[in-house]
Amino acid sequence: MVRDYYEDDPLGPRTTSALDAPPVKRVHAIYGINLKTEVCAIFRRRPYIVIGDDMADNRFIIDKETTKIEDGDNDMLNNYELNGGFLYETKKTVQKVINDEDGEEVERTVSGDGTVPYWNLAHAKTWKADLEELTVNEIEGGEHRGILGMKAFHDCLRKYCMVEM
């Protein structure tokens, strides 16, 4: 059963990558942007571990005391917010993104939808050459689930889903 429905599926999972465009002709991506979005956590080694106490040992803990991250000559991290051991992108975060008009990479200040980081939301832009049609609608302030109740989201749905008679 696993072989019939999973491993022998001609559309994946082993024949394609999650980075590849889906096997469709058109994609309409609609997502929110410019909300503070967690992108990673900073960990440090636990100062001590008790072995032999029949408890699972966790050797790392969130480093809530970290106040600065240095990355050599790269000042890109200065555009992120660090708080309580978590790194967040904000609408002031400089990101390298694909320009919608010409497909060239440009720098832009933008962040995700409060749940998903921007670079994941915008990944569909990398599929442009593999699809007949790709549209991307970025809705300012659209929260990951809250966007479903926004007028701008429903306007996009009507534009892409309704057939005029």
Side-chain angles (χ1 to χ4, degrees):
M1 185 170 131
V2 170
R3 181 175 308 281
D4 292 340
Y5 293 102
Y6 184 74
E7 292 178 352
D8 290 341
D9 183 345
L11 298 179
R14 298 176 190 260
T15 58
T16 60
S17 165
L19 300 177
D20 295 339
V24 297
K25 293 181 180 181
R26 63 184 60 86
V27 170
H28 303 293
I30 308 168
Y31 51 84
I33 60 168
N34 286 337
L35 295 176
K36 181 177 170 181
T37 305
E38 180 184 323
V39 294
C40 76
I42 312 300
F43 291 88
R44 65 180 168 93
R45 286 189 182 274
R46 186 179 293 276
Y48 61 89
I49 298 173
V50 177
I51 297 177
D53 60 357
D54 293 329
M55 301 289 288
D57 292 326
N58 184 346
R59 299 183 189 279
F60 298 94
I61 57 174
I62 302 269
D63 188 353
K64 296 179 181 180
E65 298 170 10
T66 298
T67 58
K68 185 174 182 181
I69 298 176
E70 295 183 15
D71 187 20
D73 296 332
N74 185 357
D75 64 349
M76 292 287 283
L77 290 175
N78 293 334
N79 298 304
Y80 289 81
E81 180 180 312
L82 179 61
N83 185 3
F86 295 94
L87 193 66
Y88 299 90
E89 61 184 15
T90 69
K91 61 184 175 182
K92 295 180 182 176
T93 301
V94 176
Q95 312 231 23
K96 291 184 179 182
V97 300
I98 296 174
N99 189 349
D100 293 336
E101 288 79 40
D102 57 14
E104 295 295 317
E105 191 175 85
V106 297
E107 286 190 352
R108 175 178 172 202
T109 55
V110 65
S111 64
D113 67 0
T115 299
V116 179
Y118 181 77
W119 64 77
N120 292 91
L121 293 169
H123 180 71
K125 293 180 180 185
T126 66
W127 302 334
K128 189 169 188 163
D130 299 321
L131 300 171
E132 287 182 20
E133 181 182 359
L134 171 68
T135 58
V136 176
N137 297 91
E138 297 180 338
I139 300 176
E140 182 74 30
E143 189 269 333
H144 187 70
R145 288 181 297 194
I147 195 173
L148 298 175
M150 295 178 71
K151 181 182 181 311
F153 176 78
H154 289 273
D155 290 345
C156 289
L157 280 183
R158 276 192 287 280
K159 181 169 73 173
Y160 298 130
C161 296
M162 292 184 71
V163 177
E164 293 188 28
M165 300 282 188

